[in-house]
């Protein structure tokens, strides 16, 4: 599969490593330009590209940059990109530690809805609830006891099934976590967040989540 990855940090870098190890073609971009990705390219054999090229190179395009930087992406990032291309959002809103205030989310918008609105494209939410290091190292063969499961939420069943299959290839059980309107159940501070549960545990954690955004996950500025 051709996979575009926008963001080459903790998550983007490790997804590049794992997808390349599985034999996928990876087109990876950061904010500073392809020439700054030499180390990752040498290590993995991924193709370094611009952000625009990454959006146009994948059957799946994974957007994995800090939330505060999402509005900096080109306005027409996905213009002309086929609707068949699956866009994945790995993002989490960290208002106090990193992102500052994002009004739409503070006003109650689900994080991935906000990302989808910014990108002007439907998204599938995945990979947001596992530490990058665990994503790199803790994958196991299907059927292994204690295999970690990851929730995948989105409105398009075909797109979601493609992401669930990639999750399985990476060594994790994919759990269908419903539509994007359900994806608050896997946001930061929910039981499934960084829980490393198996599939039954993920289902239980999603079911027991509370919609309330706790004060420590809200911006302190008005
Ligand atoms: N770290 C984790 O364990 C983890 C786990 C799950 C989900 N997440 C979420 O996944 C997202 C990415 O997290 P991360 O930890 O991988 O971030 P990170 O290590 O800080 O890396 C951010 C990457 O985004 C790139 N970037 C920033 N602005 C950009 C722009 N306008 N255009 C293109 N690329 C841009 C950066 O490129 P430059 O270096 O060139 O600026 C860098 O490669 C966040 O929402 C985070 O909350 C993180």
């Amino acid at each position: 599969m051709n996979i575009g990855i926008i963001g080459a940090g903790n998550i983007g870098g490790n997804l590049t490593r794992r997808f390349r190890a599985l034999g996928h073609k990876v087109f990876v971009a950061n904010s500073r330009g392809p020439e700054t990705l030499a180390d990752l390219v040498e290590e993995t054999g991924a193709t370094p590209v611009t952000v625009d090229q990454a959006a146009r190179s994948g059957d799946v395009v994974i957007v994995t940059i800090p939330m505060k930087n999402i509005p900096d992406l080109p306005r027409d990032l996905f213009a002309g990109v086929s609707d068949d291309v699956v866009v994945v959002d790995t993002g989490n809103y960290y208002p106090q530690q990193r992102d500052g205030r994002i009004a739409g989310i503070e006003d109650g918008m689900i994080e991935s809805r906000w990302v989808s609105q910014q990108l002007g494209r439907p998204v599938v939410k995945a990979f947001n609830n596992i530490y990058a290091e665990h994503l790199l190292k803790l994958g196991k063969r299907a059927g292994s006891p204690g295999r970690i499961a990851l929730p995948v939420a989105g409105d398009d069943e075909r797109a979601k099934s493609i992401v669930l299959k990639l999750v399985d290839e990476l060594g994790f059980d994919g759990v269908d976590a419903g539509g994007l309107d359900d994806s608050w159940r896997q946001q930061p501070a929910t039981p499934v967040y960084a829980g490393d549960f198996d599939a039954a545990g993920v289902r239980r954690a999603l079911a027991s989540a509370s919609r309330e955004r706790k004060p420590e996950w809200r911006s302190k500025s008005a």
Side-chain angles (χ1 to χ4, degrees), residues 7-44:
N10 296 304
I11 290 285
N14 284 348
L15 284 175
T16 299
R17 292 180 177 92
R18 293 292 295 119
F19 282 132
R20 282 295 302 139
L22 290 165
H24 294 291
K25 286 190 105 172
V26 175
F27 301 84
V28 61
N30 64 3
S31 77
R32 287 165 292 147
E35 65 285 356
T36 65
L37 289 165
D39 289 349
L40 184 63
V41 165
E42 192 185 355
E43 179 192 339
T44 63

Side-chain angles (χ1 to χ4, degrees), residues 107-186:
D107 290 347
M109 199 179 279
I110 290 165
E111 292 173 17
S112 283
R113 276 269 172 242
W114 180 82
V115 172
S116 174
Q117 185 188 64
Q118 296 294 309
L119 298 178
R121 289 283 295 217
V123 299
V124 174
K125 188 179 190 78
F127 307 119
N128 77 296
N129 77 312
I130 183 166
Y131 288 118
E133 184 81 357
H134 294 190
L135 191 57
L136 181 68
K137 294 187 175 157
L138 299 187
K140 292 182 179 177
R141 298 177 78 87
S144 305
R147 195 186 200 213
I148 294 172
L150 301 180
V152 176
D155 295 332
D156 181 319
E157 294 302 324
R158 173 190 159 270
K160 196 160 52 177
S161 72
I162 290 170
V163 178
L164 285 164
K165 183 164 179 299
L166 287 175
V167 167
D168 181 55
E169 280 185 42
L170 289 166
F172 304 93
D173 283 343
V175 170
D176 185 335
L180 210 63
D181 283 342
D182 301 306
S183 67
W184 57 268
R185 293 180 182 276
Q186 66 192 72

